[in-house]
Amino acid sequence: MKVLITGANGFVGKNLQLRLKERKDVEVLCFTRENSASELAALLQGVGFVFHLAGVNRPQDPQEFVSGNADLSHALCAALAAMAASGRAIPVIYSSSTQAANGNPNGNPYGLSKRAAELALFNLQAQSGVPVHVFRLPNVFGKWCKPNYNSAVATFCHNIARDLPIQIHDPAAPMTLVYVDDVVERFIELMDGADAAADSGGFETITPQYTTRVGELADQIMAFKRSRSSLITERVGTGWVRALYSTYVSYLPTESFRYQVPQHGDARGMFVEMLKTPDCGQFSYFTAHPGVTRGGHYHHSKTEKFLVIKGQARFQFRHMHTGESYELATCGDKAEIVETVPGWTHDITNIGHDEMVVMLWANEVFDRAQPDTYACPL
């Protein structure tokens, strides 16, 4: 199927392009600022779906709101109506805005122009039977949004990643946001034939929607930046924080794609902490020269998982109450986890001829004041 994206080089358009180009059953045609409305009729030939994302939101002249939003949408509707008259009703998605004023003459020019575009599309649907899906999008955030333009998320991510100042006029100002990947996913679902929202009056919504405040947004992004020095990652695995962290990282300059973490070396080898979590422990790795033994301690509650990724290792265990002992060997050729158990003293010895490298996870972040680590050589 051929699809047409207007505003293809905009923030949402670029993300949508990338997703659609991953599909071998979709051919993408692009309408950008380099095109004119007179080209729409030709571009629609053979097209099976339209994503109408083009628009103007920060023009030099307010009149551009009318030409870039309302007039362009009217031209698209005229071209779609002609296609429908020939028997091809091409579905269209329109990215409107929560600022679309419901015909209120006191509304802002941007909102009024978006509302005019909505009405043109709904008239097209009523008169020509063209399926129309209108999204009144709140703040959309994600990779490739232009910073220092009209997105606080993009501006904060870009500036904080570069140690540039940010301005916050009202930290308590509320924000409602949707993530660009969720927007694109819903767009594609509709393209693929998913049912439209029931009893929506022609309007679609994106879920999930996230609510925060400007000050909280800035604080969270600053916490992402600090995590490189503290090694304590935020809870970036799900939901809002996951989406925001992915967005923040997308604004890193290339020279910040890598960063160093502290490493501690002695005669035995090297120990490096990589990552700490608020509530799921920490990750590290260590090396050991041939014949070197590390460990020789026990824990009351702390547990650890060891993965030898290079070399040969012997683990020894002894029960602190019964004296029962146990020994095992493993090596980097095996994807094998060795777990330490509370109440058993343990150590690990490099029994090979080369350096040993071992990855380590502990279920709690090391606390020097309460280390739960007691020396007891085997």
Side-chain angles (χ1 to χ4, degrees):
M1 177 173 63
K2 286 185 180 181
V3 303
L4 173 65
I5 305 175
T6 73
N9 289 338
F11 162 44
V12 178
K14 287 185 287 190
N15 279 272
L16 178 60
Q17 274 196 70
L18 183 61
R19 286 286 298 274
L20 291 177
K21 286 179 179 178
E22 296 162 3
R23 299 265 299 251
K24 299 191 182 303
D25 60 338
V26 175
E27 179 184 349
V28 178
L29 303 179
C30 296
F31 179 95
T32 71
R33 294 184 187 277
E34 305 301 317
N35 299 103
S36 67
S38 62
E39 300 175 60
L40 286 169
L43 285 170
L44 286 173
Q45 298 300 317
V47 164
F49 203 95
V50 174
F51 297 94
H52 183 29
L53 314 181
V56 173
N57 53 24
R58 292 189 69 177
Q60 296 292 324
D61 181 351
Q63 182 60 32
E64 294 178 44
F65 284 130
V66 176
S67 60
N69 294 328
D71 291 352
L72 179 62
S73 296
H74 278 97
L76 176 63
C77 288
L80 288 168
M83 298 298 294
S86 66
R88 295 186 59 246
I90 306 171
V92 58
I93 282 175
Y94 178 52
S95 60
S96 186
S97 167
T98 54
Q99 295 187 48
N102 296 315
N104 180 358
N106 296 318
N108 66 69
Y110 172 67
L112 288 172
S113 67
K114 297 297 276 188
R115 179 57 179 163
E118 292 176 358
L119 291 174
L121 285 158
F122 286 139
N123 287 336
L124 171 70
Q125 180 173 247
Q127 296 173 9
S128 301
V130 172
V132 170
H133 311 282
V134 174
F135 287 81
R136 283 185 169 174
L137 296 173
N139 298 287
V140 184
F141 71 101
K143 64 182 182 297
W144 304 339
C145 186
K146 185 178 180 180
N148 299 300
Y149 186 60
N150 67 341
S151 166
V153 175
T155 300
F156 288 178
C157 287
H158 176 273
N159 287 16
I160 289 172
R162 289 161 175 77
D163 295 318
L164 299 174
I166 60 173
Q167 292 184 347
I168 300 176
H169 300 293
D170 181 7
M175 300 180 70
T176 301
L177 305 106
V178 290
Y179 186 43
V180 70
D181 283 6
D182 296 323
V183 174
V184 169
E185 181 176 357
R186 182 56 180 160
F187 283 5
I188 293 176
E189 286 176 352
L190 290 169
M191 181 194 75
D192 286 337
D195 292 335
D199 301 323
S200 63
F203 292 98
E204 291 278 345
T205 57
I206 301 296
T207 56
Q209 293 193 3
Y210 304 108
T211 57
T212 188
R213 298 184 184 277
V214 174
E216 294 170 355
L217 169 68
D219 289 344
Q220 182 61 82
I221 297 171
M222 287 298 299
F224 295 152
K225 182 176 180 64
R226 290 193 298 269
S227 69
R228 285 192 167 192
S229 55
S230 70
L231 302 187
I232 300 177
T233 183
E234 297 295 294
R235 295 176 174 86
V236 297
T238 58
W240 157 246
V241 181
R242 172 183 178 270
L244 186 60
Y245 181 68
S246 295
T247 302
Y248 169 71
V249 171
S250 76
Y251 285 88
L252 291 174
T254 52
E255 62 268 23
S256 296
F257 282 11
R258 62 180 178 181
Y259 63 102
Q260 291 188 330
V261 295
Q263 60 184 39
H264 310 278
D266 57 27
R268 299 172 299 170
M270 185 170 60
F271 177 77
V272 177
E273 292 178 308
M274 175 186 173
L275 184 70
K276 302 177 183 180
T277 71
D279 47 21
C280 294
Q282 68 179 56
F283 296 85
S284 55
Y285 78 90
F286 63 84
T287 66
H289 303 309
V292 165
T293 297
R294 304 193 72 136
H297 56 239
Y298 66 91
H299 314 291
H300 288 292
S301 298
K302 181 187 296 185
T303 64
E304 301 157 317
K305 295 180 186 289
F306 293 84
L307 175 63
V308 178
I309 57 178
K310 177 186 175 185
Q312 296 178 304
R314 181 188 68 217
F315 286 85
Q316 296 186 116
F317 301 87
R318 187 176 70 243
H319 196 283
M320 293 302 296
H321 179 65
T322 66
E324 178 186 355
S325 61
Y326 181 68
E327 181 178 305
L328 63 87
T330 189
C331 66
D333 295 334
K334 297 179 182 179
E336 186 172 59
I337 299 292
V338 178
E339 190 151 19
T340 63
V341 179
W344 290 72
T345 189
H346 52 272
D347 64 21
I348 176 174
T349 301
N350 181 352
I351 58 174
H353 299 292
D354 302 312
E355 182 182 56
M356 180 177 67
V357 181
V358 182
M359 187 174 179
L360 168 63
W361 170 80
N363 72 322
E364 60 185 46
V365 173
F366 183 75
D367 182 353
R368 292 188 181 278
Q370 295 181 307
D372 190 14
T373 301
Y374 301 90
C376 184
L378 283 86

